[in-house]
């Protein structure tokens, strides 16, 4: 399966800025991607449709940073899966640590979003990861177990394995400049692969597991080669076309 390089733009870039970055990125890459790589860009909702229309035929896929798990209705401020599909995007992030910790989303809600998005036809990158406090208390395994069990509790069946991706993002490494070391990444990804075996079953070898947390051009090529690392989820270093292009080509 191709490795995924994903860009989480968080609350950055209006439509004009998003289109400019996508156009510049495409120009640097000669409008094509290295073999065996897929690139998914997650702009803010307000820039999503402009982003999906930025290039007539570009090499990038697009996604939203969140959804609400209902078809439509009285959910002020929220966005449904069908609206995201209508904007031309195919993916959504669930369980990002900023939504868990700033917006207080719990595992149950992340699970509802994940299953509803998949059932509606969106592909999902579901994020998991421990805080520094949990790591230091030796709770890595327990935290990943609870997050994965509840996030993936009600997956629609059948589900082709390429539609569900897990991102391991240790909370203490997101936006902090601290990257997990290679051993930490290998250990966490091995735990996730093992847990997925019980939850998903036979197709687990085809489930891609991304690493995210202060990935930049300088460390991307080393991290992406580690065992069980099937791609990268990049925040800060994806905002500039030049640095993100280097990560894509790493
Ligand atoms: C993220 O937002 O998913 C992320 C990993 O951010 P950063 O690369 O800035 O740490």
């Amino acid at each position: 399966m191709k490795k995924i390089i994903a860009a989480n733009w968080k609350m950055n870039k209006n439509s004009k800025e998003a289109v400019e970055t996508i156009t510049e990125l495409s120009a640097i890459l000669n409008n094509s991607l290295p073999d065996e790589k897929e690139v998914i860009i997650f702009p803010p909702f307000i820039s999503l449709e402009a982003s999906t229309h930025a290039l007539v035929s570009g090499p990038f896929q697009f996604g939203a940073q969140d959804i609400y798990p209902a078809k439509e209705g009285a959910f002020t401020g929220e966005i449904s899966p069908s609206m995201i599909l209508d904007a031309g995007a195919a993916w959504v992030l669930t369980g990002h640590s900023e939504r868990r910790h700033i917006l207080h989303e719990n595992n149950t809600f992340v699970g509802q979003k994940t299953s509803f998005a998949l059932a509606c036809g969106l592909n999902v990158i579901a994020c998991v990861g421990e805080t520094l406090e949990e790591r230091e208390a030796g709770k890595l395994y327990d935290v990943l177990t609870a997050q994965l069990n509840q996030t993936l509790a009600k997956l629609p069946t059948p589900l082709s394995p390429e539609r569900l991706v897990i991102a391991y993002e240790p909370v203490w490494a997101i936006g902090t400049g601290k990257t997990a070391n290679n051993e930490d990444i290998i250990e966490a990804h091995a735990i996730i692969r093992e847990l997925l075996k019980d939850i998903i079953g036979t197709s687990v070898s085809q489930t891609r597991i991304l690493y995210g947390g202060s990935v930049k051009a300088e460390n991307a090529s080393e991290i992406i080669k580690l065992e069980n690392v099937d791609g990268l989820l990049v925040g800060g270093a994806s905002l500039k076309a030049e640095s993100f292009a280097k990560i894509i080509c790493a």
Side-chain angles (χ1 to χ4, degrees):
M1 289 207 114
K2 290 188 177 186
K3 298 221 177 199
I4 291 177
I5 312 295
N8 176 14
W9 283 353
K10 312 191 188 200
M11 199 171 70
N12 296 289
K13 295 188 190 293
N14 60 27
S15 296
K16 183 170 168 283
E17 292 162 341
V19 170
E20 279 169 6
T21 308
I22 291 162
T23 310
E24 193 188 340
L25 185 62
S26 166
I28 297 172
L29 297 168
N30 288 322
N31 205 33
S32 72
L33 298 178
D35 286 348
E36 302 308 314
K37 296 253 175 79
E38 285 181 50
V39 172
I40 311 168
I41 300 174
F42 293 85
F45 284 136
I46 198 79
S47 317
L48 187 55
E49 187 154 15
S51 298
T52 66
H53 289 89
L55 305 171
V56 177
S57 88
F60 313 125
Q61 301 169 62
F62 293 91
Q65 297 171 18
D66 187 31
I67 49 134
Y68 191 78
K71 267 192 176 162
E72 59 188 0
F75 304 103
T76 302
E78 297 297 329
I79 304 278
S80 71
S82 69
M83 291 169 178
I84 294 165
L85 290 163
D86 184 55
W91 290 85
V92 68
L93 293 177
T94 61
H96 191 276
S97 74
E98 285 148 17
R99 297 211 61 88
R100 290 177 187 271
H101 296 285
I102 301 172
L103 294 146
H104 310 294
E105 291 188 6
N106 61 23
N107 285 337
T108 309
F109 194 40
V110 174
Q112 284 166 3
K113 290 184 178 197
T114 303
S115 47
F116 194 76
L118 287 166
C120 291
L122 282 168
N123 306 322
V124 173
I125 299 182
C127 306
V128 295
E130 80 291 0
T131 62
L132 189 56
E133 214 180 9
E134 289 163 341
R135 168 166 282 268
E136 287 176 349
K139 291 186 181 156
L140 175 67
Y141 185 86
D142 292 348
V143 170
L144 294 178
T145 304
Q147 289 178 338
L148 284 172
N149 275 336
Q150 289 178 59
T151 298
L152 310 180
K154 292 193 180 127
L155 293 180
T157 51
L159 178 67
S160 45
E162 70 279 1
R163 294 191 53 219
L164 173 67
V165 174
I166 306 298
Y168 170 62
E169 298 208 304
V171 180
W172 47 274
I174 298 180
T176 58
K178 288 184 198 154
T179 321
N181 66 35
N182 292 351
E183 290 72 38
D184 294 338
I185 298 173
I186 291 169
E187 182 196 15
H189 281 235
I191 292 173
I192 292 169
R193 182 81 66 205
E194 203 52 42
L195 290 167
L196 287 175
K197 256 185 218 161
D198 292 338
I199 303 170
I200 302 184
T202 48
S203 64
V204 65
S205 62
Q206 291 169 281
T207 302
R208 287 168 289 184
I209 307 173
L210 316 185
Y211 169 77
S214 298
V215 171
K216 37 190 186 290
E218 295 73 35
N219 58 21
S221 61
E222 188 174 339
I223 297 173
I224 203 158
K225 290 192 198 95
L226 298 175
E227 205 178 341
N228 280 316
V229 174
D230 306 306
L232 305 167
L233 177 52
V234 188
S238 70
L239 292 172
K240 292 229 161 42
E242 207 180 320
S243 65
F244 191 49
K246 284 188 187 144
I247 294 171
I248 293 170
C249 297

